[in-house]
Amino acid sequence: MKIKEILQLEGNEQKINLKGWVRTRRGSKHVSFIALNDGSTINSIQVVAEAINCEEELVKQITTGSCISVNGKLVSSKGSGQAVEILAKTIEILGSADEYPLQPKKHSLEFLRGKAHLRFRTNTFSAVFRLRHTLTFAVHKFFNDKGFFNLHTPIITGTDAEGAGEIFQITNLDLENLPKNEEGKIDFSADFFGSKTNLTVSGQLEAELGALALGQVYTFGPTFRAENSNTSRHLSEFWMIEPEVAFADLNENIDLAEEFLKYCIQYCIEHNAEDLRFLDARMEEEESKLKKEERSEMSLLERLQFVIENNFVRLTYREAIDVLRNSKPNKKKKFQYPINGFGDDLKSEHERYLVENKYKKPVIITDYPKGIKAFYMRMNEDGETVRAMDILFPTIGEIVGGSQREERLDKLQERMEEMDVCQKELWWYLETRKFGTCTHSGFGLGFERLIMFVTGMKNIRDVIPFPRTPQNAEF
């Protein structure tokens, strides 16, 4: 049985078999107490191994990290802290653990990143990755229940959807003997796909094609950015959720995104209460070491509940700029990037000021200047702004970015020319504006940023099993 199931039972001396990994072992010559965990729950179960039943030499070999199988009886616990425990009859060591590197003490998250193959066994990371699973399931359930179709968009692509150029190129050419064309440049026609290809930065463009036939679709897959950034908010490989909806305008897009975020958070509260309570206590302990002004005003659980219970604040980019320009941090030159006026790009410090200081709620900013947004966003009538929207969360900053897409062929072509986006490469994208075009919208959610918010983890490398960052592709 799984420990999660066993802990729901009463101790009536029923025979039990369970397998798991030893967290701790303590005791004397006559009796040992083993804390056993199998990953099904944050809680371990106590196994009582009495010398009369279990050989002393065998029990001595049971160390932290060992994998064992226990046969015994489930009884009411005589000690405090647990309702039931296992009275062992036989124990089999399935895998020993000599010199196990994760001793039963507090390890730093940085240390555990270097032990990513073992960090799942700690309470913190077992809780984080159970919650990652729950959020994954919540994403699929939300969209399935609303009649969306899941679309698997390509990981290998010939386009750079964002136009930022931060892409990982793919080739099977011999790098020691690259074929060259008449101009002396690399001849990609000799490559595997016959052209220059890269890992995808977004499934959005392909998802739009699906939405313009199936009505409403969503992607959920890995994306890649070759941005040379080592911050706590960036990964080179991460997962994106990207719904696209035909006939939806910007306001309907915003409503969908807000409903989606609240649903996922509520689902975690209902299904992973014990993990969240553990992470809540962990965050409180971590923040107690910070200066008073650096601590969060709310606990993790309060913050999650707060998002669910409050409507997100909605304001335009122009309104946000006015608020920021007249703010105390800007006037006193406390911002690293001062806000001067229309056209300024909002940085994380500005986003967090709006969310955490000004409104104390999640904030949705709309109608950004066209110069700081992508070519596919629908132009507003003013000719200066586009129908874009970003959702900003406390501690995280931007968690969702989306827009109403430009469905007018002439306007889309104009924007592509302005932003030097190759129309020849995206001929198929342009053709959707020729054959039955319509209003449509979508957004992208960085999955790891959502997990950071739900778990209270401060570094994005701690919410993905095996982080890929500059100079790091281990495991």
Side-chain angles (χ1 to χ4, degrees), residues 233-234 351 393 396-399 445-454 460 463:
R233 299 170 69 242
H234 288 90
E351 295 168 347
F393 263 28
I396 302 296
E398 182 194 334
I399 197 167
L445 166 71
F447 190 46
E448 281 74 24
R449 290 193 180 181
L450 177 60
I451 302 169
M452 285 175 72
F453 181 76
V454 171
I460 200 166
V463 297

Side-chain angles (χ1 to χ4, degrees), residues 148-160:
F148 279 68
F149 301 106
N150 183 220
L151 202 65
H152 292 162
T153 53
I155 292 172
I156 299 172
T157 177
T159 63
D160 174 8

Side-chain angles (χ1 to χ4, degrees), residues 30-289:
H30 304 292
V31 62
S32 289
F33 300 95
I34 301 165
L36 197 66
N37 189 281
D38 65 0
S40 63
T41 171
I42 193 79
N43 300 306
S44 298
I45 195 166
Q46 180 166 278
V47 176
V48 182
E50 296 178 335
I52 194 170
N53 291 324
C54 304
E55 295 177 22
E56 184 182 351
E57 285 305 310
L58 175 74
V59 173
K60 281 183 179 177
Q61 295 173 42
I62 298 173
T63 57
T64 296
S66 302
C67 183
I68 64 174
S69 174
V70 179
N71 285 303
K73 293 187 296 185
L74 184 67
V75 298
S76 297
S77 180
K78 295 175 183 177
S80 60
Q82 65 272 331
V84 292
E85 60 190 19
I86 302 288
L87 188 59
K89 186 174 182 182
T90 62
I91 297 178
E92 179 187 359
I93 298 176
L94 303 177
S96 59
D98 298 327
E99 298 181 21
Y100 185 62
L102 303 186
Q103 292 306 307
K105 65 176 185 178
K106 191 175 181 64
H107 294 286
S108 73
L109 298 178
E110 189 175 3
F111 170 81
L112 291 170
R113 278 175 220 138
K115 301 282 186 289
H117 58 309
L118 297 172
R119 67 177 181 169
F120 299 104
R121 297 194 198 177
T122 66
N123 279 338
T124 297
F125 285 98
S126 65
V128 166
F129 291 116
R130 276 189 295 271
L131 276 158
R132 186 180 175 109
H133 160 77
T134 298
L135 278 166
T136 300
F137 190 82
V139 168
H140 288 298
K141 181 167 171 51
F142 174 83
F143 287 117
N144 183 69
D145 290 353
K146 291 186 83 69
F148 279 68
F149 301 106
N150 183 220
L151 202 65
H152 292 162
T153 53
I155 292 172
I156 299 172
T157 177
T159 63
D160 174 8
E162 300 298 319
E166 295 162 344
I167 56 176
F168 289 103
Q169 291 187 31
I170 294 175
T171 182
N172 76 333
L173 294 175
D174 181 358
L175 299 183
E176 301 293 331
N177 186 28
L178 291 169
K180 301 290 179 71
N181 58 25
E182 292 177 358
E183 298 173 357
K185 295 181 179 179
I186 296 171
D187 182 10
F188 284 103
S189 67
D191 208 347
F192 186 87
F193 292 106
S195 61
K196 196 173 182 179
T197 54
N198 53 270
L199 294 176
T200 186
V201 298
S202 168
Q204 178 209 311
L205 302 187
E206 292 88 351
E208 282 188 49
L209 314 185
L212 293 172
L214 300 173
Q216 45 187 20
V217 302
Y218 72 103
T219 76
F220 190 171
T223 51
F224 307 84
R225 302 277 167 93
E227 183 179 359
N228 188 17
S229 177
N230 272 300
T231 76
S232 62
R233 299 170 69 242
H234 288 90
L235 289 167
S236 301
E237 175 186 283
F238 55 99
W239 288 66
M240 286 285 288
I241 298 147
E242 297 174 297
E244 291 290 331
V245 186
F247 316 115
D249 62 17
L250 182 63
N251 289 324
E252 291 166 304
N253 194 34
I254 291 171
D255 290 342
L256 177 70
E258 182 171 342
E259 183 187 358
F260 171 61
L261 287 165
K262 289 181 174 180
Y263 177 92
C264 289
I265 293 169
Q266 181 66 48
Y267 197 87
C268 286
I269 291 171
E270 291 175 3
H271 292 83
N272 287 65
E274 289 182 333
D275 289 323
L276 286 172
R277 279 196 292 270
F278 170 82
L279 291 168
D280 184 54
R282 180 196 168 277
M283 192 177 96
E284 185 179 359
E285 182 186 346
E286 291 294 313
E287 295 210 339
S288 67
K289 302 169 189 173

Side-chain angles (χ1 to χ4, degrees), residues 113-117 465-469 471-475:
R113 278 175 220 138
K115 301 282 186 289
H117 58 309
F466 305 105
R468 297 290 179 252
T469 52
Q471 304 297 307
N472 177 32
E474 201 171 7
F475 304 105

